């Protein structure tokens, strides 16, 4: 999940023509809790086509997000694996 503030009209990054599959190596990129400089982590795809219900920072405005890839790429130290990526 990526949140950009004040961004629009950005092109989509195309990194592969091959669909992800469970067991693939992946790189997670993020800025856990907006805590400063973006970071990255290596991981493995653990599940495909997952879904979550996302809300705003106040727990309101729920939106169902589907077609996500679950991986073991943790961005914040000390938080267990199983992060979500699109």
């Amino acid at each position: 999940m990526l949140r950009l503030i004040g961004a629009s009209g950005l092109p989509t990054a195309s990194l592969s023509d091959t669909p992800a599959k469970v067991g693939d190596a992946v790189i997670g990129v993020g800025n856990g809790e907006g805590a400063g400089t973006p970071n990255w982590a290596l991981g493995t795809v653990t599940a495909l086509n997952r879904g979550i219900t996302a809300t705003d920072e106040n727990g309101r405005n729920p939106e169902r997000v589907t077609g996500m890839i679950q991986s073991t790429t943790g961005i914040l130290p000390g938080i267990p694996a199983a992060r979500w990526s699109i």
Side-chain angles (χ1 to χ4, degrees):
M1 181 87 42
L2 183 63
R3 177 181 177 195
L4 299 175
I5 298 172
S8 65
L10 300 174
T12 302
S14 179
L15 304 176
S16 175
D17 292 334
T18 306
K21 55 188 180 306
V22 173
D24 281 354
V26 293
I27 298 174
V29 179
N31 184 6
E33 297 180 353
T37 305
N39 203 346
W40 62 274
L42 298 175
T44 303
V45 173
T46 55
L48 301 172
N49 297 317
R50 300 298 297 250
I52 63 168
T53 300
T55 64
D56 63 19
E57 59 272 4
N58 297 312
R60 296 187 202 114
N61 301 311
E63 178 181 356
R64 186 74 181 156
V65 182
T66 61
M68 298 178 72
I69 300 169
Q70 183 177 347
S71 72
T72 60
T73 55
I75 297 301
L76 287 173
I79 294 180
R83 297 288 162 248
W84 301 93
S85 306
I86 293 181

